[in-house]
């Protein structure tokens, strides 16, 4: 008799225990659902990591969608149009307004080299906003192995260089010069070589300028204003804000030789540094030149 009661009670006890376990799991889910938005609103650091995680994850997801579309053409610079189309909306998700000045300086039919300052991975938003037709960036070789994003970039004709091997980098630049002229391609380079959060410009590496001189094509400087009002990696801050992208007039390389590259590099950096300083001094809501 008691044995039967125990047997009968066992399924009941198991059901009660299961219900309790399920209840605990449900409570944990409720706590997480409540805690997440509270932490997101109250913790600047938590919000920063959430936004960056989504930013990187979303780009990888978009790359998955882009790969089969780009694969139809194979490796082709025209695939950059597909990537640009898919990435343009991200600024709206993050409430970042991008103002562009100097569009007319891209009205050049011949190939050219775009050089831009490099502050963070958010530079991608500014680049996609103004990316000229048949223009591809030069990127470090490691990006090629960044999963779906690397494959999408390869299909879009991105030029990869191994910065640790000078001979390889020089060879790639020489090939790029030939490709620019033969296939009417523009190239986008970050001459600082690495991300710079200092609020100024690092010294420029000369590869982009050697490339421009070798191909005898203009250098067009592009300056993105400081992100400090809405983004700061050190302070773990990422809010909404405004970025100004300024396209400066092209600098001719006609008749220049490799010996002129150091002077060309310094001259272009000086132009970009002046523009960056002017843009950084413009307070939000203040028009250039002091108007309100």
């Amino acid at each position: 008799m008691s044995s039967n009661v125990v047997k009968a009670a066992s399924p009941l006890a198991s059901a009660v225990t299961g219900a309790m376990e399920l209840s605990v799991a449900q409570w944990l889910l409720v706590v997480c659902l409540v805690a997440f938005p509270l932490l997101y609103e109250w913790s600047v650091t938590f919000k920063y990591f959430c936004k960056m995680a989504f930013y990187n994850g979303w780009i990888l997801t978009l790359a998955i969608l882009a790969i089969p579309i780009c694969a139809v053409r194979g490796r082709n610079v025209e695939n950059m149009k597909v990537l640009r189309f898919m990435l343009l909306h991200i600024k709206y998700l993050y409430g970042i307004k991008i103002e562009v000045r100097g569009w007319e300086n891209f009205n050049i039919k011949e190939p050219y080299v775009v050089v831009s300052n490099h502050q963070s991975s958010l530079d991608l938003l500014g680049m996609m906003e103004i990316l000229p037709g048949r223009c591809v960036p030069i990127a470090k070789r490691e990006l090629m192995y960044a999963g779906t994003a690397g494959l999408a970039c390869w299909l879009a004709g991105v030029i990869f260089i191994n910065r640790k091997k000078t001979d390889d980098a020089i060879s790639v630049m020489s090939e790029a010069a030939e490709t620019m002229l033969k296939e009417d391609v523009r190239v986008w380079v970050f001459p600082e070589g690495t991300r710079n959060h200092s609020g100024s410009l690092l010294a420029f590496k000369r590869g982009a300028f050697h490339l421009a001189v070798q191909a005898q094509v203009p250098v067009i400087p592009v300056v993105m204003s400081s992100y400090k009002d809405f983004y700061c990696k050190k302070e773990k801050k990422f809010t909404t804000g405004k970025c100004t992208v300024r396209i400066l007039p092209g600098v001719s390389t006609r008749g220049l030789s490799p010996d002129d590259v150091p002077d060309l590099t310094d001259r272009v950096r000086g132009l970009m540094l002046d523009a960056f300083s002017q843009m950084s001094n413009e307070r939000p809501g203040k028009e250039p030149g002091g108007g309100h």
Side-chain angles (χ1 to χ4, degrees):
M1 177 78 177
S2 60
S3 177
N4 292 334
V5 171
V6 171
K7 290 179 179 179
S10 294
L12 179 60
S14 298
V16 171
T17 302
M20 289 178 64
E21 290 176 353
L22 184 62
S23 179
V24 170
Q26 289 175 330
W27 272 108
L28 286 174
L29 179 60
V30 170
V31 169
C32 288
L33 290 175
V34 172
F36 185 89
L38 290 177
L39 280 172
Y40 189 83
E41 289 300 320
W42 293 345
S43 173
V44 173
T45 301
F46 185 76
K47 179 181 288 188
Y48 170 85
F49 283 113
C50 286
K51 284 192 168 186
M52 290 308 298
F54 179 80
Y55 179 76
N56 293 314
W58 187 234
I59 287 174
L60 291 174
T61 302
L62 291 173
I64 294 174
L65 300 176
I67 287 170
I69 300 173
C70 295
V72 174
R73 283 198 191 100
R75 180 169 164 81
N76 192 311
V77 296
E78 289 296 323
N79 283 329
M80 280 302 301
K81 292 179 180 178
V82 176
L83 301 193
R84 181 171 185 255
F85 176 78
M86 288 191 166
L87 295 169
L88 273 175
H89 73 283
I90 296 179
K91 63 182 179 183
Y92 299 112
L93 297 179
Y94 284 87
I96 297 175
K97 181 181 178 182
I98 300 177
E99 177 190 350
V100 181
R101 303 176 190 168
W103 275 114
E104 66 279 3
N105 293 316
F106 271 161
N107 293 334
I108 301 176
K109 294 182 179 180
E110 63 181 314
Y112 49 79
V113 175
V114 179
V115 293
S116 172
N117 58 321
H118 193 15
Q119 300 179 77
S120 81
S121 58
L122 296 185
D123 295 337
L124 182 65
L125 303 184
M127 180 194 293
M128 292 299 111
E129 185 73 15
I130 67 170
L131 191 74
R134 298 191 63 77
C135 181
V136 294
I138 289 181
K140 58 183 180 182
R141 191 174 183 82
E142 291 85 346
L143 178 61
M144 189 163 57
Y145 306 106
T148 55
L151 179 55
C153 287
W154 183 85
L155 286 168
V158 172
I159 300 169
F160 298 100
I161 61 171
N162 187 343
R163 295 183 300 181
K164 296 178 180 179
K165 294 185 178 180
T166 305
D167 291 343
D168 288 352
I170 292 174
S171 174
V172 169
M173 287 295 191
S174 297
E175 291 177 11
E178 293 179 11
T179 301
M180 289 177 70
L181 298 175
K182 190 181 299 182
E183 301 180 19
D184 187 30
V185 173
R186 291 87 185 242
V187 174
W188 186 300
V189 185
F190 294 103
E192 290 172 282
T194 187
R195 297 172 188 175
N196 173 27
H197 309 284
S198 70
S200 185
L201 301 182
L202 298 176
F204 282 6
K205 299 181 183 302
R206 296 174 181 172
F209 304 94
H210 276 291
L211 171 60
V213 168
Q214 183 173 342
Q216 291 287 283
V217 298
V219 174
I220 299 185
V222 168
V223 183
M224 300 185 197
S225 63
S226 173
Y227 303 155
K228 64 181 180 181
D229 290 332
F230 63 91
Y231 174 87
C232 180
K233 182 178 181 180
K234 185 177 181 180
E235 297 175 6
K236 301 295 181 285
K237 179 179 75 173
F238 195 171
T239 60
T240 59
K242 176 183 174 182
C243 171
T244 301
V245 180
R246 187 171 166 187
I247 306 164
L248 303 181
V251 178
S252 175
T253 64
R254 290 288 180 188
L256 298 186
S257 69
D259 292 336
D260 298 309
V261 167
D263 178 66
L264 174 66
T265 303
D266 293 340
R267 184 152 48 103
V268 172
R269 183 180 181 277
L271 293 171
M272 293 175 65
L273 187 57
D274 287 345
F276 184 79
S277 299
Q278 291 170 11
M279 294 157 68
S280 297
N281 289 331
E282 294 172 8
R283 298 191 302 273
K286 179 180 178 183
E287 295 297 327
H292 291 271

